[in-house]
Amino acid sequence: MPDSKAKAWGEIPAPATHVPQNARGHHWKRYLAAGAAVLVLLSVFSTSSQPRRRPPRLPPAEAEKLFLTVPNGQHALAASLEYATHPHLAGSSEDFDDAKAVLKLFQEEFGIHPPNKDPIFKAGSRQSRHATLSLTGPLGPKHPTAWIDTYFPVLNTPLNHSLQLLNDEGHPIFEADLEEDGDPLDPDAAKYKDAVPAWHGLSFDGTATGEFVYANYGTLADYVELLAKGTDLKGKIVIARYGRIFRGLKIKAAQELGAAGVVIYSDPRDDGYVTTSNGYAPYPHGPARNPSSVQRGSVQYLSLYPGDPTTPGYPAYEDAVREEGINIPKIPSLPISWRTAENLLPELRDGSEPDSYPVLNGKVSTKKLKLVNHVDTKVTPIWNTMAAIPGHIRDEVVVIGCHRDAWVLGAADPTSGTVSLLEIVRGFGTLLRQGWRPLRTVVFASWDAEEYGLVGSVEWGEDFHQWIAKHAVTYLNVDVSVSGSRWNVQASPSLVDIIKKTALDVPHPTKPGLTLWDSRKDDGPFRGVPTECSNTTYPTAQLNDKVIYFGNGSLISEAPAADIPALGSGSDYTVFLQRIGIASTDQGFGYTDSDAVYHYHSVYDTQRWQEVYADPEFKRHVAVAKHLGLLALRFTDGIILPLNTTRYSYELDLYLDRVEDLALSKFPYRRQPDFADLRTSIKTLQEASIKLDAEKVEAEKKLREFFDKLPQGPHHHCRGRGPLKALRRLYFQAKNAVRTLLGLPPLERPVPRHIPQTPEALAFALANDELTPWGHQDEWRPPFPIHKFIKAVKRVQRANKKLKSFEQGFISEEGIKDREWYRHLGVAPGKWLGYGATTFPALTEAITIEGDLTLVKYEAERLTHLIDRLAVTLSP
């Protein structure tokens, strides 16, 4: 296939009707121009009614109302029972069964006839490439499709492990029980307590023996404190507690300081009010932490790069060339329970200190630990289950996703998110059965292997990077839909307004008269005396001169305070936002210090815990589904994309304010870096965005004026009358022009086919060969000049293109220093945080981590150039 054709069709193999180049007509340029003009003309929102025997008119407002009636607690509970009552570790047979179950649900809800052979494709194959790339091609599917993409990353599973406390002679005096009890009061936990041993995903296979030292949370600041005390970590085993930063970075810092191994435990001090010391019984007999619970989890160095460790930046095909993974540890580690930690920490006291943890920092044991961690590391197939509903605008795509895999049962993580996603699917299926079709294409994704390091979404993102960059208008993510009482949402600043507006339109799940937006302030039902690290008592902490904020033992964000904070990392939006530049969001009801303890990544993250404590009637699951689905509908069916670039551009002032404060703190006695040019560039961007705001409003207004001139009334569908016939006639002529271009015989007589049920969708259907003209071909003159109509359509398209490209304006091919996989210079996960967001990351870290004024100047200039270019792009 010639290169030009390959580009036009997105490198999709030619269909059976493909005609060689020399068989085509000689006037292809004229026909192509005519076809393009019609595509532009028909990418509009017209107004007309439908034939009587067609589905009833379903305008966007009615579609929203109908959608909101579909998600309900009973169906959500049934879905949770289906997916949360068995293990589904990524790459396992149960995971594969779940992938096929989701595929079947996509097929049933979207009216997809199952083929004779399951559409399960190896990534990189012709079928896999075609399934995605054809969605936006001119010869792509006209009806919903669903398939499974199989990728082949390197993962590991546990073989055997142990942790022993040794005496002076090297004999074991304590053998840790590394598995969870599986109390029979929770039947699923009891049944599957040994199904998936407690280990760290992508951990190093090895043995370590040495004295051990307590390192608090294992943050960079904690290690700096140990070094300041003169503690030598070489050859030692570090004991740290979970929280504040991504677990893999605790190991990375220990490894760089010469430690031999790391043990990480869950500490009740991070459980807020709900502790046994406050009188609460441990789960499953009460809401407090089960002392045997263990937090599994990946120890990949997430802030370096996510995804398959052996294929950084490119997809993990079965025959991919592999590299040595540099984002995974080179020393062994183990997760342990509080019950085990209680037996080890006393060894760090000599009897003279009070029973207080702060004095343990830097204490070295007199006895040794022997840590054994053996894992089976190999290439492992994983399965992304995908579905798509083609829109009338083929080349603009809304992506909605949630991962499916769990460390064990995962009732909250991620089954609660999967439940909400599937409720959205049911809602969209109901709309489809009523004749609705989205204006923009919608892609649903059930990602695999997120728990190992966002693997499924990253590999798909790397596989289809160019397609996503060209076509995706937003990525809407859900992960843990419900693990507590408070609704949390994070997003790109351009999404803040539409998220808030939509949240105000969704009722509060449990409090009549309030909205979902109000639930951001909700608390759990349990109260008492706060523990040492209760959410209400966390101070801000200093980490390399960076102010960070903590909640529930985990870092929330480094970004400036806002109604909706910026995204860091830790879920599947990462590749979309921080590598490709797609405006993204993530949401869910999260754990507060007055909620029942959420046993994160433990066998106790079960259906029973969800039904008893987190969401007894599954109303919160439904609220997330309603909000995310409604948000998707507003992206698919809006004339102008609901992206607010002006809010984003003014947010940049706050980012720079913070950078200036950091520089003043870091270089108090040295010449301060000059950010005047950067401030000026931000101002220019703001001015360009304000002009674009006016332009997009005017563009939509002018287009709607043409709609208002179209005759109204039920006669629109009648043969030979109204603008509908004229648009069909234009379509018929354009279709024959394209057929001539392809060397095909022209259509001699129009044939009636399905007509979109909404006036707004008609022109898009015509433009994408969804509708064949009908009626007589007699003369008809539209009620307005066609060339002005075309001009109005082009104006709307230009505005949407600028809005869509705004986030991509922060993408630098050079990436961020020392972690070039991350390319977004506006926001990224902090280098030593993993989860939390760092705004202006390259510039911020040049100040806080590098402390290099030359590098600071370079990064400021790089950011200035990027924003200047973005301002030019944004200008109407």
Side-chain angles (χ1 to χ4, degrees):
M1 182 185 298
D3 289 344
S4 61
K5 192 67 175 178
K7 291 179 180 178
W9 288 353
E11 301 179 355
I12 303 170
T17 56
H18 174 62
V19 177
Q21 180 76 30
N22 58 12
R24 300 175 187 167
H26 295 292
H27 304 293
W28 63 272
K29 289 185 178 180
R30 179 160 55 92
Y31 293 133
L32 188 59
V38 172
L39 291 177
V40 169
L41 164 67
L42 300 174
S43 294
V44 299
F45 297 71
S46 64
T47 56
S48 69
S49 298
Q50 307 305 318
R52 289 177 187 171
R53 286 177 289 184
R54 304 296 177 186
R57 187 174 188 269
L58 195 67
E62 294 300 318
E64 289 184 4
K65 290 180 181 178
L66 178 58
F67 169 80
L68 289 174
T69 67
V70 177
N72 67 73
Q74 186 175 0
H75 278 96
L77 172 60
S80 186
L81 286 167
E82 180 177 357
Y83 291 97
T85 53
H86 61 268
H88 38 288
L89 183 68
S92 67
S93 59
E94 297 91 345
D95 177 39
F96 186 40
D97 289 342
D98 284 352
K100 291 187 289 185
V102 173
L103 174 67
K104 182 179 179 182
L105 184 120
F106 283 158
Q107 292 170 337
E108 292 173 349
E109 290 295 337
F110 296 157
I112 302 168
H113 181 69
N116 294 330
K117 183 180 180 181
D118 284 340
I120 303 174
F121 311 132
K122 288 185 178 180
S125 67
R126 178 185 181 277
Q127 297 95 326
S128 174
R129 301 287 293 166
H130 187 272
T132 293
L133 297 178
S134 67
L135 296 175
T136 50
L139 303 179
K142 299 177 177 62
H143 304 288
T145 57
W147 69 98
I148 293 176
D149 283 324
T150 307
Y151 289 91
F152 298 87
V154 168
L155 307 178
N156 66 19
T157 51
L159 293 174
N160 60 77
H161 53 205
S162 63
L163 185 67
Q164 297 175 327
L165 182 65
L166 309 179
N167 61 18
D168 294 341
E169 288 74 37
H171 300 302
I173 57 175
F174 170 73
E175 178 88 25
D177 183 355
L178 298 179
E179 309 308 335
E180 298 171 286
D181 284 347
D183 192 302
L185 190 59
D186 186 325
D188 292 328
K191 182 177 180 180
Y192 294 111
K193 67 177 183 178
D194 299 321
V196 182
W199 102 109
H200 282 145
L202 295 175
S203 57
F204 182 76
D205 183 291
T207 300
T209 302
E211 298 170 333
F212 57 98
V213 58
Y214 181 72
N216 199 23
Y217 287 105
T219 66
L220 193 60
D222 289 325
Y223 286 117
V224 169
E225 181 182 342
L226 297 187
L227 295 178
K229 292 181 177 180
T231 305
D232 184 2
L233 294 181
K234 292 181 180 177
K236 305 290 194 307
I237 293 177
V238 170
I239 294 184
R241 54 173 162 159
Y242 278 113
R244 300 202 176 181
I245 65 171
F246 187 72
R247 68 187 72 80
L249 299 180
K250 302 171 189 283
I251 299 170
K252 184 176 188 292
Q255 176 182 307
E256 292 180 1
L257 293 172
V262 178
V263 173
I264 313 178
Y265 73 97
S266 301
D267 197 314
R269 288 180 295 158
D270 297 315
D271 292 340
Y273 297 109
V274 189
T275 63
T276 55
S277 61
N278 282 340
Y280 293 104
Y283 184 80
H285 303 274
R289 176 175 300 280
N290 183 295
S292 76
S293 66
V294 180
Q295 182 189 135
R296 296 158 182 80
S298 173
V299 289
Q300 181 188 77
Y301 302 159
L302 186 64
S303 58
L304 189 60
Y305 65 89
D308 172 32
T310 67
T311 59
Y314 57 97
Y317 294 163
E318 187 174 26
D319 58 353
V321 176
R322 309 277 173 175
E323 303 177 19
E324 180 182 2
I326 61 172
N327 68 336
I328 50 179
K330 301 301 181 186
I331 60 174
S333 65
L334 284 174
I336 63 173
S337 66
W338 168 240
R339 182 179 61 189
T340 295
E342 277 189 303
N343 285 281
L344 300 179
L345 295 179
E347 296 296 330
L348 297 171
R349 302 188 183 95
D350 60 14
S352 61
E353 300 100 340
D355 188 15
S356 175
Y357 287 92
V359 301
L360 297 182
N361 286 6
K363 288 283 187 178
V364 179
S365 67
T366 57
K367 296 183 177 65
K368 293 184 178 181
L369 276 180
K370 182 179 181 181
L371 183 163
V372 177
N373 181 60
H374 291 312
V375 292
D376 181 18
T377 302
K378 60 185 178 183
V379 173
T380 305
I382 62 169
W383 305 277
N384 289 338
T385 304
M386 314 293 293
I389 305 174
H392 300 301
I393 309 176
R394 284 193 175 276
D395 62 351
E396 293 181 0
V397 180
V398 176
V399 186
I400 312 171
C402 175
H403 76 96
R404 186 186 62 256
D405 65 298
W407 288 114
V408 194
L409 301 164
D413 186 9
T415 300
S416 65
T418 295
V419 166
S420 294
L421 179 71
L422 297 186
E423 286 299 286
I424 298 170
V425 169
R426 287 201 318 110
F428 277 44
T430 299
L431 295 180
L432 286 172
R433 287 187 287 275
Q434 294 299 315
W436 169 85
R437 182 177 174 184
L439 287 173
R440 296 179 176 88
T441 296
V442 183
V443 171
F444 288 91
S446 174
W447 307 117
D448 203 357
E450 187 270 357
E451 296 293 6
Y452 278 89
L454 325 181
V455 180
S457 58
V458 166
E459 299 314 309
W460 191 77
E462 292 174 342
D463 199 357
F464 296 101
H465 184 134
Q466 293 181 347
W467 182 86
I468 295 168
K470 183 177 181 181
H471 298 293
V473 298
T474 189
Y475 174 68
L476 310 177
N477 190 68
V478 61
D479 188 330
V480 180
S481 178
V482 182
S483 65
S485 300
R486 181 175 296 167
W487 186 62
N488 302 301
V489 59
Q490 303 85 38
S492 301
S494 57
L495 293 174
V496 165
D497 293 275
I498 187 62
I499 288 171
K500 181 176 181 179
K501 180 182 185 301
T502 304
L504 290 170
D505 292 336
V506 174
H508 191 289
T510 59
K511 300 175 182 178
L514 298 179
T515 68
L516 180 63
W517 187 250
D518 297 315
S519 64
R520 296 175 305 124
K521 301 177 182 178
D522 286 359
D523 287 315
F526 304 105
R527 286 289 186 272
V529 179
T531 52
E532 174 196 335
C533 292
S534 165
N535 191 25
T536 57
T537 60
Y538 284 151
T540 60
Q542 293 293 324
L543 178 58
N544 287 335
D545 298 323
K546 295 182 288 186
V547 177
I548 53 181
Y549 303 90
F550 298 104
N552 303 318
S554 298
L555 184 140
I556 297 175
S557 176
E558 281 193 290
D563 280 349
I564 297 178
L567 287 163
S569 185
S571 197
D572 292 304
Y573 53 78
T574 300
V575 67
F576 293 93
L577 174 62
Q578 288 147 352
R579 184 165 177 85
I580 305 176
I582 306 300
S584 302
T585 182
D586 185 41
Q587 66 172 281
F589 283 86
Y591 167 70
T592 72
D593 60 8
S594 54
D595 276 305
V597 171
Y598 168 39
H599 295 81
Y600 181 52
H601 291 177
S602 161
V603 75
Y604 288 111
D605 181 4
T606 62
Q607 182 71 19
R608 181 186 183 277
W609 180 84
Q610 187 70 254
E611 290 187 38
V612 172
Y613 291 111
D615 195 12
E617 298 180 68
F618 277 66
K619 292 181 177 179
R620 295 186 176 101
H621 288 72
V622 169
V624 170
K626 288 182 176 181
H627 182 267
L628 200 61
L630 197 56
L631 196 62
L633 285 173
R634 289 172 176 179
F635 265 97
T636 61
D637 289 342
I639 292 179
I640 295 292
L641 291 171
L643 295 168
N644 189 334
T645 58
T646 299
R647 173 180 287 278
Y648 202 149
S649 60
Y650 274 92
E651 194 85 1
L652 300 181
D653 272 329
L654 300 179
Y655 296 175
L656 186 53
D657 288 346
R658 185 175 169 279
V659 164
E660 290 178 335
D661 289 343
L662 291 171
L664 186 63
S665 174
K666 186 69 176 183
F667 310 115
Y669 305 112
R670 299 165 65 181
R671 182 179 177 184
Q672 289 293 306
D674 184 2
F675 299 117
D677 289 344
L678 180 54
R679 184 74 73 179
T680 299
S681 295
I682 292 173
K683 179 66 173 177
T684 302
L685 180 64
Q686 292 164 354
E687 292 171 351
S689 183
I690 291 171
K691 291 179 181 177
L692 179 60
D693 284 345
E695 169 62 16
K696 69 185 184 184
V697 169
E698 186 66 16
E700 181 172 359
K701 177 183 175 183
K702 290 295 183 183
L703 191 55
R704 288 193 180 278
E705 286 178 358
F706 284 106
F707 299 159
D708 293 338
K709 293 177 182 178
L710 294 174
Q712 303 294 318
H715 62 279
H716 281 195
H717 67 273
C718 298
R719 196 172 72 171
R721 306 178 91 187
L724 183 61
K725 176 189 168 186
L727 292 177
R728 290 193 184 108
R729 181 183 176 192
L730 283 171
Y731 165 76
F732 181 69
Q733 294 169 348
K735 183 174 181 180
N736 276 337
V738 174
R739 289 176 68 85
T740 302
L741 169 65
L742 297 176
L744 301 174
L747 295 173
E748 295 182 359
R749 185 175 182 80
V751 180
R753 290 177 60 188
H754 173 70
I755 300 173
Q757 83 289 2
T758 61
E760 291 81 6
L762 171 63
F764 291 108
L766 291 168
N768 291 290
D769 194 16
E770 297 302 326
L771 192 56
T772 299
W774 64 325
H776 297 294
Q777 298 300 310
D778 55 320
E779 292 297 324
W780 182 88
R781 187 176 299 278
F784 47 74
I786 288 295
H787 72 278
K788 291 186 178 180
F789 189 33
I790 294 174
K791 185 177 180 180
V793 173
K794 286 183 176 180
R795 189 174 182 182
V796 167
Q797 290 179 323
R798 284 195 301 270
N800 278 337
K801 185 177 181 180
K802 292 178 183 295
L803 292 168
K804 171 185 168 295
S805 64
F806 183 85
E807 194 82 50
Q808 291 182 35
F810 293 97
I811 296 297
S812 166
E813 293 300 316
E814 183 182 344
I816 299 173
K817 183 180 182 296
D818 297 333
R819 50 203 187 106
E820 288 74 17
W821 189 93
Y822 290 95
R823 295 178 173 178
H824 199 298
L825 298 191
V827 66
K831 183 176 182 179
W832 285 103
L833 302 172
Y835 289 126
T838 296
T839 52
F840 284 170
L843 178 56
T844 294
E845 290 168 2
I847 297 170
T848 60
I849 295 178
E850 303 295 334
D852 184 338
L853 280 172
T854 301
L855 182 60
V856 171
K857 180 181 179 182
Y858 169 77
E859 293 295 355
E861 290 174 351
R862 184 158 69 119
L863 192 55
T864 299
H865 174 72
L866 213 64
I867 293 176
D868 283 341
R869 189 173 61 188
L870 179 55
V872 172
T873 302
L874 209 63
S875 297

